Amino acid sequence: MKIALSQWFPILQWGRQYSTAHFGADAVAAAVVTLMLIPQSLAYALLAGLPPEAGLYASMAPLLLYAVFGTSSSLAVGPAAVTSLMTAAALGTVAAAGSLGYASAAALLALLSGVMLFAMGALRLGFVANFLSHPVISGFVSASGLLIAATQLKHLLGVPLSGQTLPELLPSLWQHAAQVHLPTLTIGLGALGFLVWVRRSLKARLRAWGLGALAADVVTKAAPVLALAVTTLLAWGLRLDEAGLRVVGAVPGGLPPLTWPVLDANFWPQIEQLAVAALLISLVGFVESVSVGQSLAAKRRERIEPNAELRALGASNIAAGLTGGFPVTGGFSRSVVNFDAGARTPAAGVFTAFALLLAALLLTPALHYLPQATLAATIVVAVLTLVDFSPFARTWRYARADFTALALTFSLTLLWGVEAGLTAGVGASLLLYLWRTSRPHIATVGRVPGTEHYRNVLRHAVQTQPRVLSLRVDESLYFANARYLEDHVAAEVAAHPAVVHVVLQCTAINAIDASALESLETIVQRLKDAGVQLHLSEVKGPVMDRLERSDFLGHLTGRVFLTHHQAVTALTEPTASQD
């Protein structure tokens, strides 16, 4: 019972071992992450089309729930760039941005995502995320980064752009290019330039001036807060809002509100509209979280449990949905900052949540004159690190099929939107996998002289026997490639009239489904009619177990050999040559 409880509630494991040393390290990490999260959470709420306080709300309760269910000592849960963009895309079909219905739909989206993630974790379905291949994720994230940057141009330039895809945004930008607002452009470009300089040069400059590594890191992470403070003071002191500069406006202070789904006539239709988006957000968020969590855990020789992470993310999203937030995930940048700052346990997230709560209670009045252009600059600087074109050339050289999935995902995400791009990428990956495995590599093999090893006759100088045809099937056998195997065996036997034995080397066959089993039975019968015996060699244990549960072995005209060398030796002995 204790083991089961600790698996569901990892806090019972690390909580018993918590020490004052852990407390000190976690408190320092929380202070650093909080400085980073304040501008990020406000900016990502803006990206999702929500009021800025929603970003603060989405960064509090989820951290508390993750500490209870999560297994990573460094993962920091909260709003993220890609999931915020996906949230905006999903909610745009349900309600108008800025409306009460939009905020309630965002909370419902987080709840749906949370329920899906928690259910997947309870059912141990973490493998589902494997259907998002690395090329698909790479193309999707890079395209999303470009889209996010493009959507923020309206805040940086002070022009009324519309749309969520490049074909919508670019014509709108051209149409309103003459309406660029100079104060907004000045604030936006100034904040953008400062943040780029901070990211690229500040830490090295501080170290060169003699500041310690930790202090330099804290100052660098706190620099975006300085950008917020300076531009806010400028907007307030110069009354730039009266000149047309868009500012955040009044931000409610206090605790996150407890919100519940409104069970009215629109409830179920909204669920139907948001279900697909919630699933995609869940999968993308889980893949991002687990990737970050595993890479950070490996540095400390720790491990995370994917199914527990599903439950933790599920609980975090449910908490976000019930406290006025929107979908959250384990963000890359803040998790790395949390790790580098020395976080030792998930308690660092608890401290961060309380620090953000204090900020929500005490600092919200100061956010009134915060320029939206500054938040947009924060978003642009953060998301452009997601854009990486190197996988295109690398994947093109290595695997053209994977490049097709990557390019398709990238293109459709930019042209049709995040849901269309991601769905098409996953579909293309699955179709390409089916196509590739439907035509498995089947090699005719012979013995390497002086050894018991057998290799492809087209690649190596090997010895073959005229009466024995050795075929190595380099793929599991299933419905999509069963007929291909039938045709290949028939063609090879027709091309070698002297053959009386066919041996299938099953080294790479990990499974044989019912369709492939019927094809093997057909091959046995056809070869028998032609006076040829079929044999198997090097059959793996699990595959053999399933074959023994069928009547196939009773119909097999040949034998099953432990090694391929034994098969060829036995079938070329004088007694065998008379068969």
Side-chain angles (χ1 to χ4, degrees), residues 220-234:
T220 302
K221 298 303 186 296
V225 177
L226 178 62
L228 267 62
V230 171
T231 55
T232 299
L233 289 173
L234 284 174

Side-chain angles (χ1 to χ4, degrees), residues 476-548:
S476 292
L477 300 179
Y478 71 117
F479 64 91
N481 60 25
R483 183 62 61 86
Y484 182 84
L485 177 63
E486 289 182 36
D487 296 341
H488 188 90
V489 171
E492 288 296 319
V493 170
H496 299 83
V499 165
V500 294
H501 298 286
V502 173
V503 185
L504 290 184
Q505 184 179 0
C506 303
T507 312
I509 298 178
N510 297 315
I512 299 175
D513 75 357
S515 298
L517 183 63
E518 290 188 10
S519 288
L520 287 176
E521 292 173 343
T522 300
I523 292 171
V524 169
Q525 187 58 48
R526 289 178 180 174
L527 292 180
K528 181 179 180 181
D529 294 341
V532 179
Q533 291 183 329
L534 178 68
H535 309 267
L536 306 179
S537 71
E538 302 188 12
V539 182
K540 293 185 176 180
V543 177
M544 194 65 185
D545 292 341
R546 297 187 68 175
L547 291 179
E548 288 175 341

Side-chain angles (χ1 to χ4, degrees), residues 129 135 270 355 455 541:
Q270 271 197 353
R455 295 293 185 268

Side-chain angles (χ1 to χ4, degrees), residues 2-286:
K2 288 184 178 180
I3 296 177
L5 278 177
S6 62
Q7 288 176 346
W8 277 78
F9 302 99
I11 191 174
L12 298 177
Q13 295 180 9
W14 63 263
R16 286 194 295 265
Q17 303 168 0
Y18 202 71
S19 65
T20 54
H22 290 148
F23 174 81
D26 290 342
V28 171
V32 176
V33 173
T34 300
L35 291 173
M36 179 183 183
L37 269 184
I38 291 175
Q40 265 198 3
S41 58
L42 298 172
Y44 290 150
L46 180 70
L47 176 59
L50 292 160
E53 65 269 16
L56 292 174
Y57 299 158
S59 301
M60 297 182 200
L63 285 169
L64 300 179
L65 270 293
Y66 183 83
V68 175
F69 292 96
T71 59
S72 171
S73 63
S74 306
L75 197 69
V77 175
V82 174
T83 52
S84 296
L85 175 67
M86 296 178 73
T87 297
L91 299 182
T93 62
V94 176
S99 66
L100 185 60
Y102 191 93
S104 63
L108 179 59
L109 184 63
L111 281 173
L112 284 175
S113 178
V115 170
M116 289 178 180
L117 286 165
F118 200 91
M120 290 168 62
L123 297 173
R124 306 186 67 81
L125 298 180
F127 68 89
V128 172
N130 295 337
F131 290 109
L132 293 176
S133 66
H134 284 288
V136 167
I137 288 294
S138 178
F140 174 73
V141 168
S142 292
S144 296
L146 291 175
L147 267 185
I148 291 169
T151 60
Q152 296 310 297
L153 290 176
K154 61 183 179 183
H155 299 297
L156 289 172
L157 303 177
V159 296
L161 301 185
S162 60
Q164 293 289 336
T165 64
L166 284 189
E168 296 169 346
L169 289 167
L170 293 180
S172 181
L173 177 62
W174 178 260
Q175 181 182 356
H176 297 97
Q179 303 174 23
V180 172
H181 187 246
L182 187 58
T184 301
L185 179 63
T186 304
I187 291 286
L189 290 184
L192 187 64
F194 173 74
L195 292 173
V196 170
W197 176 78
V198 165
R199 184 177 290 268
R200 291 184 176 179
S201 307
L202 181 58
K203 187 173 182 179
R205 291 285 182 89
L206 293 173
R207 292 302 308 278
W209 293 339
L211 204 62
L214 179 59
D217 194 56
V218 171
V219 172
T220 302
K221 298 303 186 296
V225 177
L226 178 62
L228 267 62
V230 171
T231 55
T232 299
L233 289 173
L234 284 174
W236 171 72
L238 300 176
R239 292 294 186 263
L240 294 178
D241 58 319
E242 298 176 3
L245 177 70
R246 298 190 65 181
V247 295
V248 167
V251 177
L255 297 172
L258 288 177
T259 58
W260 302 94
V262 179
L263 302 177
D264 56 11
N266 294 325
F267 179 70
W268 290 111
Q270 271 197 353
I271 286 183
E272 293 176 359
Q273 287 179 286
L274 297 175
V276 174
L279 178 60
L280 293 178
I281 290 172
S282 299
L283 293 177
V284 170
F286 175 61

Side-chain angles (χ1 to χ4, degrees), residues 334-356:
R334 60 176 166 268
S335 296
V336 171
V337 169
N338 199 33
F339 178 88
D340 290 341
R344 303 303 302 178
T345 72
V350 176
F351 301 150
T352 302
F354 282 109
L356 288 171

